[in-house]
Amino acid sequence: MRQSRLWLLAFCLFGLFGCASIPEGQQADGRDPWERYNRAVFDFNMEVDAAVVKPLAEGYQAAVPEVVRGMVRHFFGNLSDLVTSVHHLLQGEPTEALTAAGRFLVNSTLGFFGVSDPASELGLAKSREDFGLTLGVWGAESGPYLVLPLLGPSSVRDGLGTAVDMTLDPLDPVFNSSQSAQNTAVGLRLLDTRVSLLGLEPALSALSFDRYSAVRDAYLARRAQQVNPNAPFRDETEE
Amino acid sequence: MQNQTLFARPPHLFRLGGPRLFAPASRTLGGFILLVMVAFMGGLLWSAPSLAQQAPAVTPMSQRPPQELVASVTRDILETIKNDKSLQQRDLRRLSELVDQKVMPVVNFSRMTALAMGRHWRTASPEQQQRLVAAFRDLLMLTYSEALRYAPEATIDIRPARYLPSDEDVIVRTALIRPGKEPIPLDYRLQKTPDGWKIYDFNVLGLWMVEHYRSQFTQLVSAKGVDGLITTLEEKNQALRQAVASGKG
């Protein structure tokens, strides 16, 4: 399972070297030297989303009651708390690691295997970390911006992180009974994520006149802030 | 509009709302970003917290120090939304009034627009500049209108100040807190003016709006000119209004 996911990723990466054109008036961005390739993958992702993922997500949203979707969301969120806890520890943040681990323990027991979230009511704050951020905290630069096929915005560092996170995905041991159970779980998690993004679309649309560069800028800004929340402000508003 | 008494508030009350002990289970990532946006609207409000008891008005809102200004404006906007069903259902006319009454007085919006236009601002005629300011205001308002839905369960945390009392251009850092969600960082840049502190840029999830829109606008102006940019903005606003109206049901 894990291996097939990585192969799919590799296949898409190397199969897609078509080039998209860069819109008129666009200024080259030093953080994005592979823009032509990235734009091609971005367009590909948008097409896959419009043709397959988004319709499925809308169907899921329409067919499944919010109560049930909430349970699904909390279940995956609970597993992510476990991963987040490990990353806090790797980043030298024991307090946050304990909070995330506490959330996992409380929600796995009181929360019936994670389908509800009593930990938040107890004041244990939710956070989310991944291996890309851990590498960043360790001092790795993000490297060039990279759009991953199917997975979306990333960077060289974060793409490596994603590969590591995929191989250590807690869904694998949880659903180790059968391949089809794993596939179902991965698919459901994808739908859950996509549904959560449906409501964002008007805002994203307003933020972007060139959607590609808006997504890129938002992604890079967010990741930089997550790695270093107290970075000095880079004043670019004056001429 | 409810009670809007002006009153001073001791600095130790900056943590608005405090930790959430009883939180309804809520949405995921998507909502989280939207929330952030809500927070923007929240942050820009200017009048006093409506939780006010009978504290007397002491300092005009805009004369307050930046952190206090952002804190009271934010709390006021969140309270207003919590008490107004039509706002929660994204009544755009109501939202527009709210923005004019509470947000615009503490924002130097023409400066914000000028900065977002960068070098193209000076090439625009006064009439073009006026239309740009109006269209940009509507664009930001419509962007964050979705966040109205999430405001009722949100609180704002004011993070420690990192500026000197003598500074005239400062950043106020806040985080929008929602139960069961990651906090959404939301920062404001303020400048001291003769009329008091004015916000002229804000940051959602690490993205500074002036910088972000400048790169989007520059691209459009190079391709279509200033008039082309104005048309594009107005069309975008029109499409967003329709999306909000149709998504209401």
Side-chain angles (χ1 to χ4, degrees):
Chain A
M1 169 60 192
R2 160 190 317 167
Q3 214 172 11
S4 64
R5 252 184 275 163
L6 286 178
W7 273 114
L8 179 66
L9 185 68
F11 169 78
C12 292
L13 263 176
F14 296 109
L16 266 175
F17 270 91
C19 285
S21 60
I22 295 174
E24 194 188 347
Q26 172 73 31
Q27 290 171 324
D29 188 314
R31 303 167 301 176
D32 188 11
W34 305 329
E35 182 167 348
R36 280 178 178 278
Y37 163 77
N38 282 338
R39 277 189 186 269
V41 179
F42 185 80
D43 292 344
F44 168 78
N45 287 349
M46 296 277 284
E47 280 166 32
V48 171
D49 181 65
V52 183
V53 186
K54 187 178 173 188
L56 281 176
E58 285 168 341
Y60 171 72
Q61 189 180 33
V64 180
E66 164 59 23
V67 181
V68 178
R69 281 186 283 125
M71 290 161 80
V72 169
R73 185 162 59 230
H74 285 128
F75 178 79
F76 292 121
N78 188 44
L79 292 179
S80 86
D81 284 340
L82 184 62
V83 175
T84 292
S85 173
V86 173
H87 285 303
H88 277 307
L89 209 55
L90 291 173
Q91 294 171 21
E93 299 170 337
T95 315
E96 286 81 356
L98 275 177
T99 303
R103 283 182 58 86
F104 178 74
L105 287 176
V106 169
N107 286 342
S108 299
T109 52
L110 295 179
F112 301 103
F113 303 100
V115 298
S116 69
D117 183 14
S120 288
E121 289 170 43
L122 294 173
L124 294 171
K126 173 90 179 165
S127 59
R128 198 180 280 266
E129 299 286 337
D130 55 59
F131 196 60
L133 294 176
T134 297
L135 290 172
V137 170
W138 289 351
E141 296 291 330
S142 77
Y145 178 66
L146 179 65
V147 182
L148 298 175
L150 306 180
L151 299 176
S154 191
S155 65
V156 170
R157 179 196 72 202
D158 295 340
L160 270 173
T162 301
V164 171
D165 283 328
M166 272 177 152
T167 61
L168 300 174
D169 192 336
L171 275 187
D172 292 347
V174 169
F175 292 99
N176 62 358
S177 54
S178 80
Q179 183 69 46
S180 65
Q182 270 185 21
N183 290 344
T184 308
V186 170
L188 197 56
R189 183 170 58 185
L190 174 72
L191 283 186
D192 172 54
T193 308
R194 188 61 184 87
V195 166
S196 73
L197 295 171
L198 286 174
L200 273 182
E201 279 173 14
L204 180 60
S205 153
L207 278 173
S208 30
F209 293 89
D210 172 28
R211 198 174 175 113
Y212 170 84
S213 62
V215 169
R216 176 190 66 202
D217 294 349
Y219 176 81
L220 293 175
R222 174 64 179 149
R223 298 296 286 186
Q225 190 190 47
Q226 283 177 305
V227 167
N228 184 2
N230 296 319
F233 179 65
R234 214 165 31 103
D235 194 344
E236 292 191 349
T237 55
E238 308 299 334
E239 306 206 358
Chain B
M1 300 308 307
Q2 284 79 17
N3 45 328
Q4 308 268 339
T5 9
L6 299 182
F7 73 106
R9 179 161 287 271
H12 64 271
L13 290 181
F14 277 149
R15 168 176 261 268
L16 303 182
R20 300 292 301 230
L21 292 181
F22 302 98
S26 41
R27 318 250 155 101
T28 21
L29 269 181
F32 124 89
I33 303 193
L34 288 177
L35 251 204
V36 174
M37 315 196 143
V38 172
F40 155 59
M41 298 304 303
L44 296 190
L45 292 201
W46 78 293
S47 56
S50 35
L51 291 186
Q53 319 293 306
Q54 307 99 336
V58 180
T59 324
M61 187 62 63
S62 60
Q63 298 299 328
R64 295 179 175 196
Q67 267 200 332
E68 203 176 324
L69 176 71
V70 168
S72 37
V73 150
T74 306
R75 161 140 68 185
D76 183 42
I77 207 165
L78 287 177
E79 281 301 318
T80 306
I81 298 169
K82 276 171 204 180
N83 296 322
D84 190 330
K85 279 268 178 289
S86 63
L87 275 176
Q88 287 165 33
Q89 287 157 9
R90 297 210 290 167
D91 178 338
L92 288 179
R93 185 170 302 175
R94 185 74 194 85
L95 176 61
S96 188
E97 287 169 16
L98 183 73
V99 169
D100 283 338
Q101 276 171 336
K102 307 205 166 194
V103 181
M104 296 314 264
V106 283
V107 178
N108 185 345
F109 204 76
S110 56
R111 174 170 159 88
M112 185 164 175
T113 312
L115 288 170
M117 288 293 291
R119 63 194 157 86
H120 297 297
W121 180 249
R122 266 172 274 128
T123 67
S125 71
E127 193 254 334
Q128 284 176 321
Q129 291 183 352
Q130 253 180 359
R131 287 179 69 192
L132 281 166
V133 168
F136 192 36
R137 170 201 175 278
D138 285 358
L139 180 70
L140 291 176
M141 181 186 84
L142 289 163
T143 307
Y144 298 111
S145 67
E146 178 73 23
L148 289 169
R149 286 186 190 166
Y150 303 89
E153 56 170 358
T155 53
I156 284 280
D157 234 2
I158 305 289
R159 293 158 61 197
R162 298 170 158 270
Y163 53 82
L164 304 170
S166 58
D167 287 349
E168 305 213 320
D169 190 322
V170 305
I171 293 175
V172 173
R173 296 170 186 266
T174 76
L176 190 77
I177 311 290
R178 277 195 317 163
K181 300 288 178 296
E182 306 151 79
I184 300 166
L186 194 61
D187 304 336
Y188 305 88
R189 282 193 89 182
L190 297 93
Q191 190 190 31
K192 196 171 194 170
T193 75
D195 294 335
W197 289 92
K198 298 281 184 189
I199 295 167
Y200 70 96
D201 195 3
F202 67 97
N203 163 326
V204 178
L205 289 168
L207 189 69
W208 285 99
M209 290 299 133
V210 162
E211 187 184 353
H212 172 74
Y213 278 109
R214 179 149 49 181
S215 83
Q216 299 280 313
F217 290 174
T218 302
Q219 197 173 319
L220 284 163
V221 174
S222 320
K224 306 178 177 176
V226 173
D227 275 328
L229 171 64
I230 294 171
T231 312
T232 309
L233 281 173
E234 286 170 353
E235 285 169 1
K236 169 83 86 179
N237 288 337
Q238 195 51 40
L240 289 166
R241 277 177 203 285
Q242 279 165 7
V244 170
S246 66
K248 246 180 181 171

